[in-house]
Amino acid sequence: MPVEPLVCADTATRVSSVLNRDVKQFGKKHMFDASEETCWNSDQGTSQWVTLDFPRPVKVSQLHIQFQGGFSSRLCTLEGCRTGEELVKISQLYPQDSHAMQISFATFQVEETVLDKLKITFENSTDFFGRIVVYHLGVLGERL
């Protein structure tokens, strides 16, 4: 099965914080708008996260992420679950601190895991204050 983008207009997204609560300039929608000029910018804190609630079950196979250099995460933890269930750890990723598109192909158990919800936790920010800046977040896989 070919992979396709899984985030759509019906995908409910939440983030841990937005810099200065300025959602117009730094809100979560900017991770998905395909613009190189806009981004989600978290506020400071030790652990930031993004959750995606898909409108129907999906199998995630790839995660594409582009951080702002100096505002990335040294460790990303992926968790997922079906509706009504508790989140379970799927994998850990170790992105590089650069502005380049980080493409992490899923060699973890996602192929066998059907999800309705995905949580990406950004731990160990490279920024002294714990801020995370994401220009692009793509989740690819198969809709079921």
Side-chain angles (χ1 to χ4, degrees), residues 52-58 80-84 114-118:
L52 304 166
D53 285 295
F54 299 100
R56 63 187 217 211
V58 297
C81 67
R82 297 296 312 267
T83 302
V114 177
L115 308 172
D116 290 298
K117 181 176 186 172
L118 178 67

Side-chain angles (χ1 to χ4, degrees), residues 64-69 95-103 136:
H64 296 196
I65 190 162
Q66 182 179 15
F67 293 102
Q68 169 70 42
Q96 298 174 357
D97 182 18
S98 73
H99 191 68
M101 179 70 74
Q102 305 271 328
I103 301 177
H136 173 77

Side-chain angles (χ1 to χ4, degrees), residues 21-144:
R21 296 185 181 160
D22 187 352
V23 295
K24 185 174 183 178
Q25 188 173 356
F26 301 117
K28 62 188 177 187
K29 67 181 180 248
H30 297 302
M31 288 186 284
F32 311 106
D33 65 5
S35 171
E36 294 180 10
E37 304 293 320
T38 61
C39 61
W40 165 61
N41 194 330
S42 77
D43 216 333
Q44 57 186 341
T46 56
S47 183
Q48 303 295 330
W49 50 263
V50 174
T51 60
L52 304 166
D53 285 295
F54 299 100
R56 63 187 217 211
V58 297
K59 282 186 185 177
V60 177
S61 60
Q62 296 178 22
L63 178 70
H64 296 196
I65 190 162
Q66 182 179 15
F67 293 102
Q68 169 70 42
F71 296 90
S72 68
S73 177
R74 290 184 187 96
L75 171 63
C76 296
T77 301
L78 302 180
E79 298 173 288
C81 67
R82 297 296 312 267
T83 302
E85 295 179 359
E86 294 290 318
L87 289 168
V88 295
K89 183 175 161 184
I90 298 169
S91 181
Q92 290 184 316
L93 308 173
Y94 301 90
Q96 298 174 357
D97 182 18
S98 73
H99 191 68
M101 179 70 74
Q102 305 271 328
I103 301 177
S104 178
F105 293 97
T107 55
F108 38 87
Q109 300 172 345
V110 174
E111 291 179 22
E112 300 172 10
T113 306
V114 177
L115 308 172
D116 290 298
K117 181 176 186 172
L118 178 67
K119 181 177 183 180
I120 306 164
T121 303
F122 304 107
E123 304 175 46
N124 297 341
S125 172
T126 58
D127 174 56
F128 180 75
F129 297 102
R131 295 169 293 188
I132 298 289
V133 178
V134 176
Y135 279 85
H136 173 77
L137 177 62
V139 181
L140 285 76
E142 179 184 354
R143 289 188 175 97
L144 303 176

